[in-house]
Amino acid sequence: MRRRLLALLCATGSLVSACGMLPGGHERTTVTVWLMKDSASGEFLRRFTEDFERTHDDLRLDIRIQEWTGIVEKVRAALKAGPGAGPDVIEVGNTQVPLYADGGRLADLTLESMRDWGKEKWLPGLAQPGKDGNKQYGVPWYAASRVVVYRKDLFRQAGIDGPPKTRDEWLTATEKLNSGGNQGIYLAGQDWYTLSGFIWDEGGELAEEKDHEWLGTLDSPAALRGMDFYRRLQALGEGPAAADEEHPPQAGVFAGGKVAQIIAVPGLVQAVLRKNPELTGKIGFFPVPGRTAGRPGAVFTGGSDLVVPQNTDDQFAATTVVGALTGAKWDTELARTMNYVPNKTTLAGAVAGEEGVAAMAAGAAHGRATPTTPQWADVEADNPIKEYMTRVLQGGDPATEARRASRQITEALVPELR
């Protein structure tokens, strides 16, 4: 499907309608939309464009596909451009919204979000990063989150009837699976996104804002409980303490056939099956278990929001496009087409027939995102959470190492402390 996108690209790299004039000679208003490569298929964009322009005969879409590489500086430059000189709508990573909202360069979409778009049903992991105080700048579009990817055949061999529902059940099952030359779970020591979910489940935070300053909080009792659960789970496999899930890529490790579980987005299974087709039909998915059976565990929710630059020369037209793309009709269609989680909890039924996506949707309903401060990018640039995890897994005192990491996070979030 994505290859078809190339056929729709004109010489300028735009996806455009052939019609630029209304009957009677009146020009349409052109709305320029930046979307990221592979977020939506070419076929989806073609159908959306045709439907939108048919139902909004005063507007014309100019959809331009962007590469993720270098996008931060490109968006920043566009936000600083003169009135009407940049795009009218931009797709951004959900955790990037605070970076772009800083300095007042995004339009405030709070009114539309409350009045027209049903923000109370949005996935929290998409909606929260799009806010600054009481103002909504980012409008959730689609989500993806980690689930437990597991070997159904190894579960049966271990006498485990089905996926565990609680964290205690998960530990017990993983202990049974961690035998006979198999790893109960492959969990790299620096998978800090997974750790974040365990911390949130315990009521902790990576960082909190107090008196208008952000402070690292890995040393809170709740955060330490989350790290302790991670330590216990990670010990039931051979994940390296000093590496993350990409070193080596865990798809290759899982494809090796001796691993019962990994924590990953469902789409990773495609890479697993390319490496080991013999696993076809043997892989399943379930939400990361929570502390109780009635609620899946908290997970980091990735995905995209749509924003409207303050320098657009037609905010009404821009918000019309945002409303259409994120509305139930086309958001559901996007989720089905691309195997995403829709932007609202009430739309989860649209993907219930796909096991991996349904597991994502269950977890995303309780999903979270990184702290909503522009400086969080500085934390990730030299991530002290990874070093903290390695030190604890290699025998360091958790409280001591958590205090050290919390200080480093605080220093990154409060530049004057450096």
Side-chain angles (χ1 to χ4, degrees):
M1 296 284 279
R2 294 186 180 111
R3 292 192 185 97
R4 297 185 189 179
L5 186 59
L6 299 176
L8 300 174
L9 291 174
C10 72
T12 62
S14 303
L15 284 160
V16 298
S17 165
C19 176
M21 301 287 289
L22 289 169
H26 300 293
E27 290 189 6
R28 293 175 181 260
T29 297
T30 298
V31 184
T32 301
V33 182
W34 283 7
L35 299 180
M36 301 308 301
K37 183 180 179 182
D38 296 337
S39 286
S41 68
E43 177 66 16
F44 171 88
L45 294 176
R46 181 191 64 76
R47 288 187 287 110
F48 173 77
T49 299
E50 289 179 354
D51 181 79
F52 182 86
E53 292 185 348
R54 186 183 69 253
T55 55
H56 301 81
D57 59 7
D58 57 335
L59 300 177
R60 170 182 176 270
L61 290 182
D62 178 7
I63 299 179
R64 305 188 176 195
I65 304 304
Q66 309 296 315
E67 298 281 348
W68 284 106
T69 302
I71 192 59
V72 171
E73 292 309 314
K74 189 171 184 178
V75 170
R76 279 175 160 170
L79 296 178
K80 294 177 182 178
D88 302 291
V89 178
I90 307 175
E91 175 194 351
V92 301
N94 61 323
T95 60
Q96 293 177 336
V97 178
L99 191 65
Y100 301 134
D102 195 34
R105 299 190 183 276
L106 296 181
D108 180 3
L109 304 177
T110 307
L111 176 61
E112 294 87 347
S113 299
M114 296 176 64
R115 182 189 62 199
D116 306 322
W117 298 337
K119 65 175 295 183
E120 70 278 1
K121 301 297 184 181
W122 283 342
L123 296 178
L126 293 181
Q128 187 59 38
K131 290 180 62 177
D132 185 6
N134 294 321
K135 295 182 178 181
Q136 191 76 41
Y137 295 104
V139 179
W141 192 23
Y142 67 84
S145 59
R146 288 163 176 77
V147 302
V148 182
V149 182
Y150 76 105
R151 287 275 302 276
K152 295 180 178 180
D153 55 331
L154 296 184
F155 268 55
R156 286 193 297 269
Q157 291 171 21
I160 302 170
D161 294 332
K165 301 295 185 182
T166 68
R167 292 199 329 199
D168 287 343
E169 291 177 2
W170 193 19
L171 281 176
T172 299
T174 305
E175 288 173 358
K176 290 182 179 179
L177 293 160
N178 193 44
S179 62
N182 294 323
Q183 296 184 54
I185 189 169
Y186 179 85
L187 182 58
Q190 295 183 348
D191 186 351
W192 70 278
Y193 286 120
T194 295
L195 170 65
S196 299
F198 299 157
I199 289 174
W200 294 327
D201 247 4
E202 293 288 347
E205 300 288 346
L206 305 178
E208 290 185 300
E209 188 176 20
K210 297 180 180 179
D211 299 325
H212 306 291
E213 289 189 348
W214 284 89
L215 305 175
T217 53
L218 291 178
D219 54 339
S220 72
L224 286 169
R225 290 195 299 271
M227 182 65 222
D228 184 63
F229 180 79
Y230 189 99
R231 178 190 60 77
R232 295 165 64 195
L233 184 67
Q234 197 269 345
L236 299 174
E238 299 173 9
D244 61 24
E245 62 273 24
E246 291 300 321
H247 300 90
Q250 63 178 348
V253 178
F254 192 63
K258 294 294 185 180
V259 174
Q261 305 171 91
I262 56 173
I263 301 172
V265 294
L268 190 75
V269 171
Q270 297 175 13
V272 172
L273 295 179
R274 283 196 297 269
K275 292 177 178 294
N276 187 354
E278 293 183 3
L279 293 181
T280 300
K282 299 179 180 178
I283 297 176
F285 311 88
F286 60 86
V288 173
R291 298 178 64 190
T292 62
R295 180 186 174 101
V299 290
F300 171 79
T301 302
S304 286
D305 285 9
L306 299 180
V307 300
V308 174
Q310 187 67 47
N311 58 9
T312 178
D313 56 4
D314 196 333
Q315 184 171 326
F316 178 79
T319 55
T320 300
V321 176
V322 171
L325 272 171
T326 62
K329 174 182 177 180
W330 286 104
D331 201 76
T332 298
E333 184 64 21
L334 180 70
R336 289 174 175 149
T337 300
M338 305 299 295
N339 287 334
Y340 292 145
V341 179
N343 61 3
K344 290 183 176 179
T345 56
T346 51
L347 299 178
V351 294
E354 172 58 46
E355 183 184 3
V357 184
M360 279 201 300
H366 309 291
R368 297 280 301 275
T370 50
T372 54
T373 166
Q375 279 70 47
W376 186 258
D378 296 330
V379 175
E380 293 192 28
D382 187 22
N383 198 328
I385 305 174
K386 289 186 172 184
E387 181 182 358
Y388 157 61
M389 298 171 72
T390 295
R391 288 177 180 271
V392 172
L393 295 177
Q394 291 179 337
D397 176 65
T400 300
E401 299 303 337
R403 285 193 294 270
R404 184 209 305 262
S406 294
R407 286 195 301 270
Q408 292 172 320
I409 291 173
T410 300
E411 290 169 0
L413 296 178
V414 186
E416 56 266 30
L417 295 180
R418 298 175 191 167

